[in-house]
Amino acid sequence: MPIAGYDRQRFRRYALLALLCLAWPAQADLAEGKARAKMCAACHGIDGLSKVADAPNLAGNGELYLSRQLQAFRSGERKHPQMSVIAAGLSEQDIAAVAAWYSAIKVSVELPE
Ligand code: HEC
């Protein structure tokens, strides 16, 4: 049946297009997050692993947790001499992007013997 074959092909094309539309924003967000995380890298690393003694690792933390902490630093609800200044300059979009980046980093752990 040529009609059914044609419909199936058209369905596949639309399904692929729909998948691309769903995947595209997530990819764009991550690239944006990685670019913005450059301003965090001196302390937290681009890989989310702390580079200075008093900064925590961010890699693999929950996206919601990370963005809530950044919002708390920005609003003054949470205070720290360095983070409060840094967070004050972040937009909602910056926060979403860096939280998406650091939460997407996969971490593995090794328990001590
Ligand atoms: C100059 C060093 C420095 C830079 C740059 C910096 N941070 Fe931090 N960050 C810290 C320190 C130190 C802390 C620990 C704060 C505390 O003790 O309350 C921290 C804490 C945090 C926390 C809380 C983590 C937790 O486990 O509660 C988040 C989230 C965070 N930083 C995100 C960022 C992001 C995103 C950027 C870039 C936009 C950034 N930081 C840039 C030093 C820095």
Side-chain angles (χ1 to χ4, degrees), residues 32-97:
E32 204 182 307
K34 187 178 184 183
R36 288 174 202 219
K38 284 193 182 125
M39 60 178 147
C40 326
C43 301
H44 297 287
I46 201 71
D47 57 2
L49 300 178
S50 171
K51 305 303 174 212
V52 294
D54 63 343
N57 293 335
L58 301 180
N61 272 343
E63 191 171 356
L64 189 62
Y65 176 76
L66 290 173
S67 53
R68 289 232 171 114
Q69 296 316 303
L70 290 167
Q71 285 159 348
F73 281 124
R74 192 176 59 177
S75 73
E77 186 193 330
R78 181 172 171 180
K79 288 185 173 61
H80 182 269
Q82 293 167 325
M83 273 315 298
S84 300
V85 175
I86 290 156
L90 300 178
S91 67
E92 232 8 72
Q93 213 181 354
D94 293 329
I95 290 180

Side-chain angles (χ1 to χ4, degrees), residues 14-48:
Y14 281 125
L16 195 69
L17 195 70
L19 271 177
L20 271 176
C21 289
L22 285 174
W24 190 261
Q27 284 305 313
D29 234 14
L30 277 188
E32 204 182 307
K34 187 178 184 183
R36 288 174 202 219
K38 284 193 182 125
M39 60 178 147
C40 326
C43 301
H44 297 287
I46 201 71
D47 57 2

